Amino acid sequence: MFQPLVAVSTDVRQFENYFWHAAPRQYLEAAISGAGVLPLLVPSFGERLDLDNLLSSVDGVMLTGSKSNVHPSLYGGDASEANGPYDEARDSTTMPLVRKAIERGVPLLAICRGIQELNVALGGSLATEIQERPGSLDHRAPVSDDQDERFAIRQNVSIKPGSCLAGVFGAGEVMVNSVHRQAIDRLGPKLQVEAVAEDGTVEAVSVKDARAFAVGVQWHPEYWVKSDSVSQKVFKAFGDAARQHAAARTAARTAAE
């Protein structure tokens, strides 16, 4: 099957005496098996990258989750150690990548840290340690050495009627594996809410009047993509959008010849 190229964000980590630009295997596996695309890791070198050339060559962008948080200086927040850890090299790459992808109509899927990057890139802000807010649920993973337990599907979210995701799996409630301690606070003006948790926490957004699929989810569809239908549908929708974009690019090249 044809696999469109999809640009994937990377974290900068130091181990074995090297700095690595890397992405977790779960996201790459989900891109291949769930979306049917070929993930291309984009090193986090910020303004040194020709992102316009990159976006002319790919048919999608996927922003992964991460242990790190978007640096608060980008949205007027508190850049304390408690709100970290941070990865400013990733921020310097994903912020312009998000804006350029949307401008060019390249399909976008933003997961966990990715939805927060999407919101900040489009003028929004983030709330930290949301479990401490009055009336808020604790969205963090339980303390466990078992990853399946930490990422278990245990939370209801309500899909907004008429939203992009309602077209993916219908309006109403779905069960997801939301694992986070930060969330969207002030919504970016170009975004609209797609789904909320029982406590009102924003769990999914989309870009208003986007030229292509442009969705962010706070939960982790990559983890159970092989066994959970909700997770599968998210990646299938993204993969279908990438293939549509690839077909349109091919048609445009053919017409120009």
Side-chain angles (χ1 to χ4, degrees), residues 13-206:
R13 300 290 179 88
Q14 184 177 13
F15 58 95
E16 295 181 348
N17 297 318
Y18 289 96
F19 283 97
W20 299 74
H21 293 233
R25 176 176 176 172
Q26 284 92 341
Y27 294 92
L28 307 180
E29 175 67 36
I32 296 170
S33 62
V37 301
L38 177 58
L40 175 69
L41 298 187
V42 179
S44 292
F45 286 120
E47 62 183 16
R48 296 168 62 189
L49 302 181
D50 184 350
L51 297 180
D52 288 311
N53 185 47
L54 171 68
L55 291 170
S56 295
S57 306
V58 300
D59 295 299
V61 171
M62 182 173 72
L63 304 180
T64 70
S66 175
K67 184 177 181 179
S68 69
N69 293 322
V70 176
H71 199 277
S73 64
L74 296 173
Y75 58 88
D78 177 19
S80 68
E81 184 177 344
N83 290 331
Y86 305 119
D87 187 343
E88 293 182 78
R90 171 165 167 159
D91 294 339
S92 70
T93 307
T94 55
M95 294 295 142
L97 180 61
V98 164
R99 290 188 284 263
K100 286 178 179 291
I102 293 169
E103 179 183 343
R104 297 172 67 104
V106 177
L108 171 69
L109 175 60
I111 299 171
C112 190
R113 188 195 208 270
I115 189 179
Q116 297 174 14
E117 290 169 314
L118 172 61
N119 188 54
V120 172
L122 298 184
S125 66
L126 304 176
T128 62
E129 307 303 337
I130 60 172
Q131 70 279 356
E132 298 176 0
R133 298 185 302 188
S136 178
L137 298 172
D138 190 342
H139 294 258
R140 295 173 298 177
V143 178
S144 175
D145 292 329
D146 184 343
Q147 282 291 84
D148 286 359
E149 171 61 20
R150 294 184 70 248
F151 284 86
I153 296 171
R154 59 168 59 87
Q155 179 176 300
N156 273 314
V157 298
S158 297
I159 308 301
K160 298 286 187 180
S163 66
C164 176
L165 289 183
V168 173
F169 32 68
E173 293 189 348
V174 296
M175 291 288 290
V176 302
N177 54 344
S178 194
V179 181
H180 58 105
R181 63 186 178 93
Q182 293 199 151
I184 289 175
D185 185 14
R186 183 182 69 254
L187 188 69
K190 294 183 179 180
L191 296 175
Q192 59 191 7
V193 175
E194 292 273 323
V196 295
E198 295 174 7
D199 61 359
T201 299
V202 175
E203 288 287 334
V205 298
S206 64

Side-chain angles (χ1 to χ4, degrees), residues 197-245:
E198 295 174 7
D199 61 359
T201 299
V202 175
E203 288 287 334
V205 298
S206 64
V207 178
K208 296 177 184 177
D209 302 318
R211 293 165 54 192
F213 182 91
V215 169
V217 296
Q218 187 62 73
W219 67 85
H220 287 270
E222 82 287 347
Y223 198 87
W224 299 107
V225 72
K226 293 184 178 180
S227 59
D228 172 59
S229 63
V230 171
S231 301
Q232 290 167 357
K233 288 175 181 178
V234 171
F235 274 94
K236 182 180 184 301
F238 176 55
D240 288 347
R243 278 180 284 278
Q244 290 171 10
H245 188 269

